[in-house]
Amino acid sequence: MTYQTSNYQSARVSLRSGLRQNFAMNQNTVAYARDKHVGPVASTVLIGLIVVGLLVLYLMQLAATGSYGYQLNDISKEQDALVAEQQDLEVDNARMRSLTAVRGSAVASTMVDPATTDTAN
């Protein structure tokens, strides 16, 4: 069984050598051209629209950040009011637990005074 590959290979080699003169290997040999082109005025308008769109997005982000700032300010004021109320309640608690308040209470009036009040050394 014999194969005749020499004729096929020689034709292929000659085809490759012919292509090397005009085109590089693995390159497209067809170039597509556009039928319509964008002019300088249209491209300027498109670039302007893109810039305006980006500016609108930026301003929307700034507005959202500003509204979060107002919410933060309201929450901060509410927190300050709650801290002030807590301090007032602590003062009231200390006043109610003071010795004079205990002595003037109804429970203390029913108690008997001790005979001696010595302190431990």
Side-chain angles (χ1 to χ4, degrees):
M1 192 163 25
T2 60
Y3 295 103
Q4 292 182 336
T5 57
S6 61
N7 289 339
Y8 178 73
Q9 287 178 352
S10 64
R12 190 172 186 186
V13 170
S14 65
L15 180 63
R16 283 186 182 169
S17 63
L19 285 176
R20 283 189 186 152
Q21 293 173 0
N22 295 328
F23 303 104
M25 292 297 292
N26 296 327
Q27 296 291 324
N28 291 334
T29 59
V30 178
Y32 295 101
R34 296 170 124 187
D35 292 338
K36 296 180 182 179
H37 296 283
V38 178
V41 175
S43 63
T44 304
V45 169
L46 287 174
I47 290 173
L49 287 174
I50 291 171
V51 168
V52 168
L54 290 173
L55 285 174
V56 166
L57 289 174
Y58 177 71
L59 291 175
M60 286 173 51
Q61 290 295 322
L62 282 179
T65 304
S67 68
Y68 289 135
Y70 288 126
Q71 290 174 355
L72 253 164
N73 194 12
D74 293 341
I75 291 172
S76 177
K77 286 181 182 178
E78 183 179 351
Q79 182 183 10
D80 291 342
L82 289 173
V83 166
E85 183 180 353
Q86 179 186 6
Q87 289 173 350
D88 290 341
L89 289 174
E90 286 175 356
V91 168
D92 288 342
N93 188 17
R95 188 179 310 127
M96 288 181 180
R97 289 181 179 245
S98 69
L99 188 58
T100 56
V102 170
R103 284 185 184 159
S105 68
V107 175
S109 64
T110 59
M111 292 184 171
V112 179
D113 289 331
T116 60
T117 56
D118 293 332
T119 58
N121 289 333

